[in-house]
Amino acid sequence: VGMVIGFSPYELPALKTLFHWLLALDSLALGAVAAATTGWNHPATCSGRNLAYRRCVYEEVGGFEKIKHFISGDDDLFMRLVAEGTEWKIRYAYSPRMVVPTRLLVTVRQFINQRIRHASKGLHYNWRSKTILSLVYLYNFLLFVSLPIAVVHPVSFGMPFVALAGKSVCELFLLAKFAMDMQRSH
């Protein structure tokens, strides 16, 4: 094992508003995706707030030299250098004792700016990751667009709602399990 990544939820100082709870849910979802994909030996994301790697791994990939020109994403991009350029394994610290909580974003603008920074690094992923991310975004976009269309065209009325229900049930099980495992189900 050359690198270990972990969960870093938004929760400090406290979840007080609906926006804060949505941020915490989003953080939970990202953590669950990171844990699941790492468990499948294809890590998709990580947080620089909770990761560790061996010095020899850092030296083997040339440190941050290949990614130093990026404004954001050094954590994910470094993880990709390790995953795609070495034989080292990456593991997820799947324990509530290994959680590193972080402060909440204060405004919606901060959230949007953070998402723009996060999305900017996606252009530098390998073709496989880009394809998977594109399909996920396309599915969500089509689902979003199909709901109002279904209301106008009764012939296809039930299909988007069935797709949304199926997606929601799958996500609910994934998030509920991860939240319970990480002791974040409050």
Side-chain angles (χ1 to χ4, degrees):
V1 174
M3 186 174 195
V4 178
I5 61 179
F7 185 41
S8 184
Y10 285 122
E11 60 185 26
L12 297 174
L15 302 176
K16 295 179 182 174
T17 67
L18 176 61
F19 177 64
H20 290 158
W21 281 98
L22 291 174
L23 281 176
L25 181 63
D26 181 65
S27 176
L28 184 72
L30 287 173
V33 167
T37 56
T38 302
W40 296 331
N41 292 318
H42 296 287
T45 189
C46 67
S47 171
R49 298 181 304 262
N50 191 357
L51 71 89
Y53 45 85
R54 296 177 186 270
R55 181 180 184 144
C56 60
V57 171
Y58 175 84
E59 291 169 351
E60 184 176 333
V61 299
F64 291 97
E65 187 62 30
K66 295 176 187 168
I67 57 175
K68 69 180 180 183
H69 58 284
F70 293 101
I71 295 171
S72 177
D74 56 331
D75 46 8
D76 273 1
L77 295 170
F78 183 79
M79 180 194 69
R80 292 194 175 285
L81 290 174
V82 174
E84 297 166 8
T86 74
E87 296 297 318
W88 289 99
K89 295 191 183 325
I90 299 173
R91 295 292 181 247
Y92 197 87
Y94 202 86
S95 167
R97 295 178 315 156
M98 302 298 167
V99 170
V100 176
T102 190
R103 294 202 174 273
L104 286 160
L105 299 171
V106 177
T107 66
V108 173
R109 181 140 198 80
Q110 287 176 327
F111 175 75
I112 291 169
N113 288 338
Q114 180 192 60
R115 291 308 147 126
I116 290 169
R117 282 194 329 271
H118 289 179
S120 69
K121 67 186 172 214
L123 299 173
H124 306 285
Y125 288 173
N126 63 32
W127 68 270
R128 182 175 181 236
S129 296
K130 285 182 195 176
T131 302
I132 292 168
L133 284 172
S134 296
L135 290 173
V136 168
Y137 288 126
L138 179 63
Y139 176 80
N140 287 321
F141 175 74
L142 291 175
L143 188 59
F144 178 74
V145 170
S146 69
L147 291 172
I149 292 172
V151 172
V152 175
H153 297 288
V155 173
S156 61
F157 184 73
M159 291 183 357
F161 294 101
V162 169
L164 179 62
K167 177 183 184 302
S168 298
V169 166
C170 292
E171 289 175 351
L172 178 65
F173 282 122
L174 174 70
L175 292 179
K177 178 171 180 6
F178 187 72
M180 286 189 320
D181 290 351
M182 291 294 140
Q183 298 177 354
R184 293 294 185 270
S185 54
H186 50 276

